[in-house]
Amino acid sequence: MTFAQLVDSLVKVVDTAVMPLLYALAFLLFLIGMVRFFFMEGEEGRQKGRVFMLWGMIGFVVLFGVWGIVRLLLSVLPA
């Protein structure tokens, strides 16, 4: 197995298994934040909801950005 084949198989595993799991986790954090923000009593509950939503959105941005950079590098670098 060559290094290029190893990298290609690793990218496929990350693309099909790890990334969907991370996207689901970020989405779950965002949903938990929404539930806390809208349905918990008091300002403390709303603040915790805001924090969860913020971290969920930061997770989405980081995931999209990093995976976009990886895809760009894979398309630019010779195979």
Side-chain angles (χ1 to χ4, degrees), residues 51-73:
V51 169
F52 271 88
M53 286 191 290
L54 176 67
W55 281 110
M57 293 303 289
I58 289 172
F60 275 126
V61 169
V62 168
L63 286 170
F64 280 121
V66 168
W67 200 238
I69 291 170
V70 168
R71 288 292 186 176
L72 179 68
L73 288 175

Side-chain angles (χ1 to χ4, degrees), residues 26 28-30 32-34 36 47-57:
L28 184 65
L29 279 175
F30 185 77
I32 289 171
M34 283 183 58
R36 284 185 172 210
Q47 184 62 30
K48 285 183 180 181
R50 283 187 194 117
V51 169
F52 271 88
M53 286 191 290
L54 176 67
W55 281 110
M57 293 303 289

Side-chain angles (χ1 to χ4, degrees), residues 36-48:
R36 284 185 172 210
F37 185 79
F38 287 115
F39 296 114
M40 288 191 73
E41 298 285 329
E43 186 58 34
E44 184 179 337
R46 292 178 64 93
Q47 184 62 30
K48 285 183 180 181

Side-chain angles (χ1 to χ4, degrees), residues 7-51:
V7 169
D8 187 46
S9 64
L10 182 65
V11 167
K12 285 181 184 176
V13 167
V14 169
D15 193 26
T16 58
V18 175
M19 290 305 287
L21 183 65
L22 291 175
Y23 282 119
L25 182 63
F27 184 67
L28 184 65
L29 279 175
F30 185 77
L31 285 180
I32 289 171
M34 283 183 58
V35 168
R36 284 185 172 210
F37 185 79
F38 287 115
F39 296 114
M40 288 191 73
E41 298 285 329
E43 186 58 34
E44 184 179 337
R46 292 178 64 93
Q47 184 62 30
K48 285 183 180 181
R50 283 187 194 117
V51 169

